[in-house]
Amino acid sequence: LLLFRVGTLQIEEYTSFSFPLDKVRAITGVVREDSRIGSWGQKRCVIKLYECNLNNGDVATAKGRINVTYTGSPLYYGDIVTFSGKLTDNGFQAKDYKLVNRSSLNRTRSRFISFISSKINNDLSMMLILGITPNVDSEISLLARNSGNSHILALSGMHLSLFSAILVFILKPIFTKRYAKLISLSILTLYILMIGPKPSL
């Protein structure tokens, strides 16, 4: 019940501005969900607003969360970013962005994901290993949706359980069963840190 209430509190966080929306030139905030690939290769993310820049150069307050569509490198949970563009009915359409701050963990995550991505050129492997969903119009995405198997291809606790069982099975002959489980748990924790805080995991 507590987790459910926390979830509803996040949903109820309305976006509000203290000025006319057509005057917004740029927004600054912290990324609250890793960016995802949307239509036509654009990326989407959710940010918690800190402030907005207006057309006349003034800085104004804003609060709440807003969906941002942009083109560029992936952004990760906790990154502080300034987007320039315009507000639309569907959120903020960014023309450009500037990364204000990125934690050392996110820098490590970025290098890890880039390294793994350079070794993999298969959309299915990217989904199962890194939890990165390809373009919504890609063949694998369409096949998964049409066959009703999207939930199997999305990273979840099921995948972690299978991975953990395989690790324990491999490590048990080398270590005791207890140490095999502890090592497996440590590897899974590191893995989750590297691919990001996904609710399903």
Side-chain angles (χ1 to χ4, degrees):
L1 287 173
L2 179 62
L3 289 173
F4 176 76
R5 183 58 188 148
V6 169
T8 56
L9 283 174
Q10 291 181 350
I11 292 168
E12 290 167 2
E13 190 176 6
Y14 295 112
T15 303
S16 65
F17 300 92
S18 58
F19 45 85
L21 301 185
D22 58 344
K23 295 184 181 293
V24 178
R25 179 175 56 86
I27 58 173
T28 300
V30 61
V31 177
R32 282 296 171 221
E33 289 180 17
D34 286 0
S35 58
R36 303 180 306 280
I37 301 174
S39 301
W40 304 294
Q42 288 191 314
K43 293 186 175 66
R44 294 178 294 174
C45 68
V46 176
I47 68 164
K48 183 176 181 182
L49 290 168
Y50 283 167
E51 64 183 25
C52 292
N53 295 76
L54 306 182
N55 290 331
N56 60 7
D58 290 343
V59 177
T61 60
K63 66 177 184 176
R65 294 178 183 225
I66 190 167
N67 292 311
V68 178
T69 305
Y70 72 100
T71 304
S73 302
L75 295 171
Y76 303 108
Y77 179 93
D79 288 347
I80 299 174
V81 192
T82 297
F83 292 98
S84 58
K86 64 177 182 177
L87 277 169
T88 66
D89 294 337
N90 298 322
F92 193 82
Q93 182 69 45
K95 295 178 183 173
D96 196 14
Y97 72 95
K98 177 186 175 186
L99 189 60
V100 177
N101 186 31
R102 173 171 278 177
S103 67
S104 56
L105 175 61
N106 279 350
R107 285 195 293 273
T108 305
R109 281 185 62 200
S110 177
R111 286 194 292 268
F112 172 79
I113 290 171
S114 296
F115 174 75
I116 298 296
S117 301
S118 67
K119 305 295 181 188
I120 301 170
N121 56 2
N122 183 302
D123 285 342
L124 181 60
S125 301
M126 293 286 283
M127 290 174 79
L128 293 174
I129 295 172
L130 297 176
I132 296 174
T133 306
N135 191 310
V136 292
D137 299 322
S138 69
E139 185 180 2
I140 189 71
S141 295
L142 292 171
L143 285 172
R145 284 201 304 273
N146 293 338
S147 63
N149 290 318
S150 299
H151 62 288
I152 294 174
L153 298 178
L155 274 183
S156 66
M158 178 190 76
H159 294 90
L160 287 186
S161 298
L162 289 171
F163 185 46
S164 176
I166 292 168
L167 277 175
V168 170
F169 179 76
I170 293 169
L171 295 171
K172 199 162 49 169
I174 304 167
F175 305 98
T176 63
K177 187 174 182 179
R178 177 180 176 172
Y179 283 114
K181 288 181 178 180
L182 287 173
I183 293 168
S184 172
L185 183 62
S186 301
I187 292 171
L188 288 179
T189 303
L190 183 62
Y191 173 70
I192 291 171
L193 284 174
M194 287 299 102
I195 66 168
K198 300 179 188 301
S200 59
L201 293 178

